[in-house]
Amino acid sequence: MDERLRRLRAVLASQKFPAERWELLAAAEFYGADARTRAELRAIPVGRYSTIAQVAEAARVVARSAAESQTPGDGRPGVRPDLSATDDVSRPIVM
C-alpha cells in the first residue's frame, strides 16, 4: 500500500462514502490530520468520491500535475531560466 493511501485511510477511516470533498476536509480537520494530508485533500477537485482509493488517486494525479508544471523544459526540477537580461531593474517600484 502506498504511503498516501495509508495516510488517507487512517484519517478517513470513519468517513462514510460516497463523500463530497468538503466532507473529506471536515473529517481530516476533525481527525487532526497532518499538514501534508490536509494539503493533499484541499488540492483535489471539488466533487463526490466513492472510495478512499478514488480520493488517493485524485491526490496522486494533482500532485503529479503540479510536479510536472514546475519542471522546466530541460527536465531539471526547480531550475528557472535566467530572466535578468529581460528584467528592467533601473525602474523604481511605484506603489
Side-chain angles (χ1 to χ4, degrees), residues 32-59:
D34 62 279
R36 182 176 180 186
T37 303
R38 289 192 323 267
E40 287 177 343
L41 288 171
R42 280 192 304 270
I44 64 174
V46 172
R48 192 165 183 82
Y49 294 86
S50 299
T51 64
I52 292 175
Q54 190 179 34
V55 174
E57 177 63 15

Side-chain angles (χ1 to χ4, degrees), residues 1-20:
M1 174 183 337
D2 82 355
E3 187 253 341
R4 177 179 292 118
L5 183 56
R6 181 189 56 73
R7 282 186 290 105
L8 289 170
R9 280 193 174 152
V11 170
L12 302 174
S14 62
Q15 178 63 45
K16 301 240 188 284
F17 284 88
E20 298 288 334

Side-chain angles (χ1 to χ4, degrees), residues 14-95:
S14 62
Q15 178 63 45
K16 301 240 188 284
F17 284 88
E20 298 288 334
R21 177 179 167 262
W22 71 265
E23 293 174 290
L24 303 173
L25 291 167
E29 288 295 327
F30 181 77
Y31 177 85
D34 62 279
R36 182 176 180 186
T37 303
R38 289 192 323 267
E40 287 177 343
L41 288 171
R42 280 192 304 270
I44 64 174
V46 172
R48 192 165 183 82
Y49 294 86
S50 299
T51 64
I52 292 175
Q54 190 179 34
V55 174
E57 177 63 15
R60 185 189 65 75
V61 167
V62 168
R64 183 187 324 158
S65 176
E68 288 174 356
S69 70
Q70 292 187 9
T71 302
D74 63 3
R76 296 180 295 156
V79 177
R80 295 180 41 170
D82 180 14
L83 301 177
S84 61
T86 60
D87 290 345
D88 185 359
V89 293
S90 63
R91 292 187 316 196
I93 297 175
V94 179
M95 296 191 157

